[in-house]
Amino acid sequence: MTEVTLQHIRAARDRIAGKVEQTATALSLSLSEYLSTQVYLKLEHRQATGSFKLRGASNAIASLSPEQKSRGVVAASTGNHGRALAHAAKLEGLRAVICMSRLVPENKLDAIRRLGAKIRIVGNSQDDAQQEVDRLVGEEGLVMLPPFDHPDIIAGQGTLGLEIIEQVPDASTVLVPLSGGGLASGVAAAVKGVSPRTKVIGVSMARGAAMKASLDAARPVQVEELPTLADSLGGGIGLENRLTFAMCRDLLDDVILLSEDEIAAGIRHAYEQEREIVEGAGAVGIAVLLAGKVKASGPTVLILSGRNIDMTLHRRIVCGEAPSTVESAA
C-alpha cells in the first residue's frame, strides 16, 4: 500500500466501533473571542488511555490474523502508542512488548506496566528503541505494530478526522499535532477526502521536529532527539519511511514549529481557560493560535491529542516556571 485512503479510514471506523470513544468537539469561548472566529477543541485526550493513539492501536490489532495474534505484538514508542497498544492487546489477551528510550517520562512507563505489557528501555532515541524491536521480531517472532508508519495505524488515526468533519462540517482549518505523521496523515486524508478545501496544518515543537526537517530536505532525515515539553512528538520518522512522509508532503497545507515557551503557554491556557489538563503535544494547537502563527479565517478545529503529563511537571508549568527551569530540574 502506498497511501491510506478515505475508504480505508471508513473501514477502520467500522472495525473499532465500540472499542474507542467518539470524542466530543467543544466550542472554546476564550479562543473564539481571542481570534474573532469559532474555535473548536476536539477532546481526544479523553480516550481511555489518555490519547488518540488508541484508535490506531485498536485498528491494527483488530486487523491481525489469528496466527499473528498468537505471536504477540511489539512496538517502539515515546509513551502514548505503547500505552494504547498495551491496552488494546490486553483486551484481546495478547502478549505485548514496548521498547522505549530513556527520554520517555516515568509516568508513561508506569501506565504501560500497569496494563501488563513488558517494557524494554534502550538508548536515548526512538531509533535506538526500534533496533530492539527489530531484534525481537527476528528472534522471537513478535509482530511489529509501529507508532505511525503502518497503514492500519494511519487508518485508525484517520477516524478522528472523520469525526471532526462530521461535527464541524464547515471547518476552514484543522490543526494537528505532528510527529511521525500517523495522526496528521490520517486526519488529513479523512478531512480532505470529505472536504477538499479545508486546510490541514501540522504543528510541532522546534526542538527535534523530524517530519518538518524531512519535508524541508525532500526526503526522510535523522534529527537529534532533545528534551521537550512536547515529548510525545519526539522521535524520527524512519529513513525507510513508507507512508507518512509522502502523505504529509502531499496532504498538509503547512507545518508550523513552536518554542518551548509557546508550548508552555498552551498548557497553561488549556488549564486556566478551558479547564483541561493536557500534555505538551496536546497543547500545540492552542499554542500556535496564542502565538499568532496561524491566521484563522473561519471555523477552526484543534486536537487536544493527549493528557498523559506528569502532574508535578504540569503544576510547575501552570505556576509559571520557565521551560528551561522545568527541564533542568527534571
Side-chain angles (χ1 to χ4, degrees), residues 6 24 46 78 102 124 133 140 157 192 269 309 316:
L6 184 61
R46 296 185 181 178
T78 54
R102 296 185 183 93
N124 295 306
V133 171
E140 299 186 23
Q157 320 303 26
K192 289 185 175 293
H269 180 94
I309 187 171
R316 293 168 64 191

PDB file of all heavy atoms in Angstrom, residues 6 24 46 78 102 124 133 140 157 192 269 309 316:
ATOM      1  N   LEU A   6      -9.640   7.407   2.016  1.00  0.00           N
ATOM      2  CA  LEU A   6     -10.879   7.590   2.766  1.00  0.00           C
ATOM      3  C   LEU A   6     -11.602   6.256   2.947  1.00  0.00           C
ATOM      4  O   LEU A   6     -12.196   5.992   4.007  1.00  0.00           O
ATOM      5  CB  LEU A   6     -11.764   8.592   2.028  1.00  0.00           C
ATOM      6  CG  LEU A   6     -13.070   9.002   2.708  1.00  0.00           C
ATOM      7  CD1 LEU A   6     -12.807   9.664   4.052  1.00  0.00           C
ATOM      8  CD2 LEU A   6     -13.852   9.956   1.788  1.00  0.00           C
ATOM      9  N   ALA A  24     -16.042  14.208  21.888  1.00  0.00           N
ATOM     10  CA  ALA A  24     -16.794  15.420  21.573  1.00  0.00           C
ATOM     11  C   ALA A  24     -15.889  16.493  20.972  1.00  0.00           C
ATOM     12  O   ALA A  24     -14.668  16.486  21.153  1.00  0.00           O
ATOM     13  CB  ALA A  24     -17.451  15.954  22.840  1.00  0.00           C
ATOM     14  N   ARG A  46      -9.546  12.551  26.068  1.00  0.00           N
ATOM     15  CA  ARG A  46     -10.479  11.833  26.948  1.00  0.00           C
ATOM     16  C   ARG A  46     -10.634  10.356  26.583  1.00  0.00           C
ATOM     17  O   ARG A  46     -11.474   9.662  27.165  1.00  0.00           O
ATOM     18  CB  ARG A  46     -11.836  12.535  26.942  1.00  0.00           C
ATOM     19  CG  ARG A  46     -11.765  13.955  27.519  1.00  0.00           C
ATOM     20  CD  ARG A  46     -13.123  14.594  27.625  1.00  0.00           C
ATOM     21  NE  ARG A  46     -13.020  15.956  28.149  1.00  0.00           N
ATOM     22  CZ  ARG A  46     -14.063  16.777  28.309  1.00  0.00           C
ATOM     23  NH1 ARG A  46     -15.282  16.368  27.978  1.00  0.00           N
ATOM     24  NH2 ARG A  46     -13.885  17.999  28.788  1.00  0.00           N
ATOM     25  N   THR A  78       7.185   6.574  22.157  1.00  0.00           N
ATOM     26  CA  THR A  78       7.546   7.643  23.085  1.00  0.00           C
ATOM     27  C   THR A  78       6.574   7.674  24.263  1.00  0.00           C
ATOM     28  O   THR A  78       6.614   8.580  25.074  1.00  0.00           O
ATOM     29  CB  THR A  78       7.541   9.012  22.379  1.00  0.00           C
ATOM     30  OG1 THR A  78       6.271   9.210  21.742  1.00  0.00           O
ATOM     31  CG2 THR A  78       8.651   9.096  21.342  1.00  0.00           C
ATOM     32  N   ARG A 102      15.388   6.262  26.970  1.00  0.00           N
ATOM     33  CA  ARG A 102      15.482   6.838  28.319  1.00  0.00           C
ATOM     34  C   ARG A 102      14.821   8.207  28.417  1.00  0.00           C
ATOM     35  O   ARG A 102      14.682   8.742  29.528  1.00  0.00           O
ATOM     36  CB  ARG A 102      16.953   6.951  28.736  1.00  0.00           C
ATOM     37  CG  ARG A 102      17.660   5.607  28.853  1.00  0.00           C
ATOM     38  CD  ARG A 102      19.086   5.757  29.376  1.00  0.00           C
ATOM     39  NE  ARG A 102      19.769   4.466  29.407  1.00  0.00           N
ATOM     40  CZ  ARG A 102      20.516   3.988  28.422  1.00  0.00           C
ATOM     41  NH1 ARG A 102      20.690   4.707  27.323  1.00  0.00           N
ATOM     42  NH2 ARG A 102      21.086   2.806  28.521  1.00  0.00           N
ATOM     43  N   ASN A 124      18.959   6.342  23.817  1.00  0.00           N
ATOM     44  CA  ASN A 124      18.495   7.707  24.042  1.00  0.00           C
ATOM     45  C   ASN A 124      17.644   8.251  22.903  1.00  0.00           C
ATOM     46  O   ASN A 124      17.470   9.466  22.783  1.00  0.00           O
ATOM     47  CB  ASN A 124      19.696   8.634  24.255  1.00  0.00           C
ATOM     48  CG  ASN A 124      20.454   8.299  25.517  1.00  0.00           C
ATOM     49  OD1 ASN A 124      19.878   8.233  26.597  1.00  0.00           O
ATOM     50  ND2 ASN A 124      21.752   8.075  25.379  1.00  0.00           N
ATOM     51  N   VAL A 133      13.238  -3.486  18.848  1.00  0.00           N
ATOM     52  CA  VAL A 133      12.037  -4.034  18.217  1.00  0.00           C
ATOM     53  C   VAL A 133      12.421  -4.988  17.099  1.00  0.00           C
ATOM     54  O   VAL A 133      11.900  -6.120  17.000  1.00  0.00           O
ATOM     55  CB  VAL A 133      11.148  -2.900  17.664  1.00  0.00           C
ATOM     56  CG1 VAL A 133      10.013  -3.478  16.804  1.00  0.00           C
ATOM     57  CG2 VAL A 133      10.569  -2.068  18.796  1.00  0.00           C
ATOM     58  N   GLU A 140      12.206 -13.560  18.249  1.00  0.00           N
ATOM     59  CA  GLU A 140      11.075 -14.127  18.985  1.00  0.00           C
ATOM     60  C   GLU A 140       9.789 -14.170  18.176  1.00  0.00           C
ATOM     61  O   GLU A 140       8.778 -14.691  18.646  1.00  0.00           O
ATOM     62  CB  GLU A 140      10.858 -13.337  20.279  1.00  0.00           C
ATOM     63  CG  GLU A 140      12.073 -13.380  21.222  1.00  0.00           C
ATOM     64  CD  GLU A 140      11.795 -12.723  22.564  1.00  0.00           C
ATOM     65  OE1 GLU A 140      10.603 -12.629  22.949  1.00  0.00           O
ATOM     66  OE2 GLU A 140      12.765 -12.316  23.227  1.00  0.00           O
ATOM     67  N   GLN A 157      -6.081   6.260  13.081  1.00  0.00           N
ATOM     68  CA  GLN A 157      -5.995   7.662  13.492  1.00  0.00           C
ATOM     69  C   GLN A 157      -6.880   8.538  12.611  1.00  0.00           C
ATOM     70  O   GLN A 157      -7.423   9.552  13.071  1.00  0.00           O
ATOM     71  CB  GLN A 157      -4.553   8.186  13.438  1.00  0.00           C
ATOM     72  CG  GLN A 157      -3.446   7.274  13.907  1.00  0.00           C
ATOM     73  CD  GLN A 157      -3.550   6.753  15.323  1.00  0.00           C
ATOM     74  OE1 GLN A 157      -4.636   6.640  15.876  1.00  0.00           O
ATOM     75  NE2 GLN A 157      -2.413   6.398  15.901  1.00  0.00           N
ATOM     76  N   LYS A 192      -9.641  15.912   4.008  1.00  0.00           N
ATOM     77  CA  LYS A 192      -9.611  16.341   2.612  1.00  0.00           C
ATOM     78  C   LYS A 192     -10.393  15.401   1.701  1.00  0.00           C
ATOM     79  O   LYS A 192     -10.854  15.816   0.629  1.00  0.00           O
ATOM     80  CB  LYS A 192      -8.164  16.500   2.155  1.00  0.00           C
ATOM     81  CG  LYS A 192      -7.491  17.716   2.795  1.00  0.00           C
ATOM     82  CD  LYS A 192      -6.104  17.948   2.258  1.00  0.00           C
ATOM     83  CE  LYS A 192      -5.516  19.238   2.827  1.00  0.00           C
ATOM     84  NZ  LYS A 192      -6.205  20.460   2.360  1.00  0.00           N
ATOM     85  N   HIS A 269      -2.946  27.749  29.182  1.00  0.00           N
ATOM     86  CA  HIS A 269      -4.254  28.198  28.702  1.00  0.00           C
ATOM     87  C   HIS A 269      -5.284  27.065  28.785  1.00  0.00           C
ATOM     88  O   HIS A 269      -6.437  27.306  29.191  1.00  0.00           O
ATOM     89  CB  HIS A 269      -4.155  28.692  27.258  1.00  0.00           C
ATOM     90  CG  HIS A 269      -5.470  29.157  26.704  1.00  0.00           C
ATOM     91  ND1 HIS A 269      -5.870  30.466  26.728  1.00  0.00           N
ATOM     92  CD2 HIS A 269      -6.492  28.456  26.136  1.00  0.00           C
ATOM     93  CE1 HIS A 269      -7.078  30.566  26.194  1.00  0.00           C
ATOM     94  NE2 HIS A 269      -7.472  29.365  25.823  1.00  0.00           N
ATOM     95  N   ILE A 309       0.497  13.773  31.030  1.00  0.00           N
ATOM     96  CA  ILE A 309       1.595  14.594  31.515  1.00  0.00           C
ATOM     97  C   ILE A 309       1.838  14.280  32.988  1.00  0.00           C
ATOM     98  O   ILE A 309       0.896  14.006  33.743  1.00  0.00           O
ATOM     99  CB  ILE A 309       1.275  16.097  31.322  1.00  0.00           C
ATOM    100  CG1 ILE A 309       2.492  16.966  31.678  1.00  0.00           C
ATOM    101  CG2 ILE A 309       0.049  16.516  32.120  1.00  0.00           C
ATOM    102  CD1 ILE A 309       2.312  18.438  31.312  1.00  0.00           C
ATOM    103  N   ARG A 316       4.031  22.791  37.879  1.00  0.00           N
ATOM    104  CA  ARG A 316       5.113  23.768  37.749  1.00  0.00           C
ATOM    105  C   ARG A 316       4.909  24.676  36.547  1.00  0.00           C
ATOM    106  O   ARG A 316       5.160  25.885  36.603  1.00  0.00           O
ATOM    107  CB  ARG A 316       6.448  23.042  37.678  1.00  0.00           C
ATOM    108  CG  ARG A 316       6.802  22.326  38.979  1.00  0.00           C
ATOM    109  CD  ARG A 316       7.963  21.383  38.803  1.00  0.00           C
ATOM    110  NE  ARG A 316       9.187  22.100  38.460  1.00  0.00           N
ATOM    111  CZ  ARG A 316      10.305  21.490  38.049  1.00  0.00           C
ATOM    112  NH1 ARG A 316      10.338  20.171  37.917  1.00  0.00           N
ATOM    113  NH2 ARG A 316      11.368  22.205  37.776  1.00  0.00           N
TER     114      ARG A 316
END
